[in-house]
């Protein structure tokens, strides 16, 4: 992974097609809210399927918390759309089928010479794309637990919402 | 501006921001948010309105006059979830009354996907009709990031998805 992708640094403003083929930019997708950004190998990986089932359960909390989820893989949009539908996921899946950012981010999983996928990596980002935390998920236990994501989202929300402390009458 | 007024009218209204015929009769018209509220007082996401927009097949869900339900009613939340999970149609906005009352939805598919419109999740809540909306009204609403189903401020019709209006 690129050396500067660490807490406090700014994450690159990627531009990629979503699962329906619409061009999307990360800075537009975050839209002023905290963002959980997940790079994953692809639909075929059992570890991803397991991890994403957890995220699908998590989305019920995220949907009412002014927070967004975005995942990125090298799966083409139609494959990402099928994976998303199969999981009943309701967040945006970005497709880097052309592998435009693999090299730039230095996130190529070199041990998989068949799919040339992203190394499973998770980021929590502030709305201006400043990195809060990074998880290297090459091994399953390196991935963030939902509790760790909750903790980060609390930290980010507390920092960006001026009314975190309930306004007094 | 994040929203406009939307009303169904018998005649093309003067002073509308945008208006178009609908195949079942009459017009759909959008009005500036800082102008007087039209009958029904329904708000629509401003991105769904474009005076230069092309015609499209649409599912128009309208609550009976005087009827609304809370936007946070589980029926509405369920419809929002279903809309997010399905392929995004191109034009979709809920119709909101006051700050927090759901009074319908407008979904349009320029590819003419009638099957998508027949399965409009908002049609489970209030009566719906599939109509051809003429040119001069419909814009484009980009798909929201998801999975957010909350509105961001009083009166913002989903899928408007940010606090700054």
């Amino acid at each position: 992974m690129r050396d500067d992708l660490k807490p406090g640094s700014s994450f690159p403003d990627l531009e990629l097609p979503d699962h329906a083929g619409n061009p999307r930019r990360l800075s537009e997708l975050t839209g002023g809210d905290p963002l959980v950004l997940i790079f994953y190998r692809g639909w075929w990986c059992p570890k991803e399927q397991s991890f994403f089932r957890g995220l699908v359960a998590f989305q019920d909390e995220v949907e009412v918390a002014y927070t967004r989820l975005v995942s990125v893989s090298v799966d083409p949009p139609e494959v990402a759309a099928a994976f998303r539908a199969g999981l009943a996921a309701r967040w945006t899946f970005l497709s880097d089928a052309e592998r435009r950012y693999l090299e730039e981010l230095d996130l190529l999983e070199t041990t998989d010479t068949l799919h040339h996928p992203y190394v499973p990596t998770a980021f929590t980002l502030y709305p201006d794309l400043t990195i809060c935390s990074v998880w290297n998920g090459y091994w399953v236990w390196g991935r963030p637990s939902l509790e760790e994501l909750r903790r980060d989202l609390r930290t980010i929300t507390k920092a960006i919402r001026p009314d975190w402390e309930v306004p007094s009458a | 501006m994040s929203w406009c007024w939307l009303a169904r009218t018998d005649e093309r209204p003067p002073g509308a921001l945008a208006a178009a015929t609908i195949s079942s009769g009459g017009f759909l018209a959008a009005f500036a948010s800082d102008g007087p509220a039209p009958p029904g007082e329904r708000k629509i996401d401003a991105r769904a309105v474009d005076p230069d927009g092309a015609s499209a097949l649409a599912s128009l869900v309208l609550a009976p006059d005087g009827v609304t339900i809370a936007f946070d009613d589980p029926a509405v939340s369920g419809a929002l979830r279903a809309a997010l999970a399905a392929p995004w149609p191109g034009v979709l906005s809920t119709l909101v009354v006051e700050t927090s009352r759901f009074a319908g939805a407008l979904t349009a598919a320029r590819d003419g996907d009638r099957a998508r419109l027949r399965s409009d999740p908002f049609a489970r809540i209030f009566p719906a009709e599939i109509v051809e909306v003429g040119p001069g009204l419909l814009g484009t609403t980009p798909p929201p990031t998801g999975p957010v189903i909350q509105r961001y401020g009083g009166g913002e019709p989903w899928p408007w998805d940010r606090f700054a209006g």
Side-chain angles (χ1 to χ4, degrees), chain A residues 122-138:
Chain A
F123 297 86
T124 46
L125 302 178
Y126 289 82
D128 65 356
L129 304 185
T130 298
I131 298 169
C132 180
S133 294
V134 187
W135 289 268
N136 158 19
Y138 184 69

Side-chain angles (χ1 to χ4, degrees), chain B residues 7 10 29 31 37 48 65 68 74 82 92 110-111 120 126-127 130 156 160:
Chain B
D10 293 332
F31 303 86
D65 285 346
T68 61
L92 195 167
R110 290 216 165 81
D111 60 3
D120 180 359
F126 288 131
I130 295 178
E156 305 288 359
W160 183 259

Side-chain angles (χ1 to χ4, degrees), chain A residues 18 20 22 24 27-33 35 59-60 62-70 84-85 89-92 161, chain B residues 47 77-78 80-88 142-153 159-164:
Chain A
D18 67 15
N22 305 299
R24 310 301 294 268
S27 55
E28 169 250 324
L29 290 171
T30 190
D33 291 339
L35 177 70
Q59 73 182 344
D60 285 357
V62 175
E63 71 177 8
V64 293
Y66 302 104
T67 298
R68 306 174 188 217
L69 273 168
V70 170
R84 179 181 186 268
R90 301 191 295 273
W91 65 84
T92 303
R161 304 295 186 211
Chain B
R47 298 169 300 177
S77 301
L80 298 176
R81 292 185 187 107
L84 270 175
W88 193 252
T145 312
V148 181
I149 58 169
Q150 294 280 276
R151 289 161 309 116
Y152 281 68
W160 183 259
D161 61 357
R162 49 207 64 203
F163 281 107

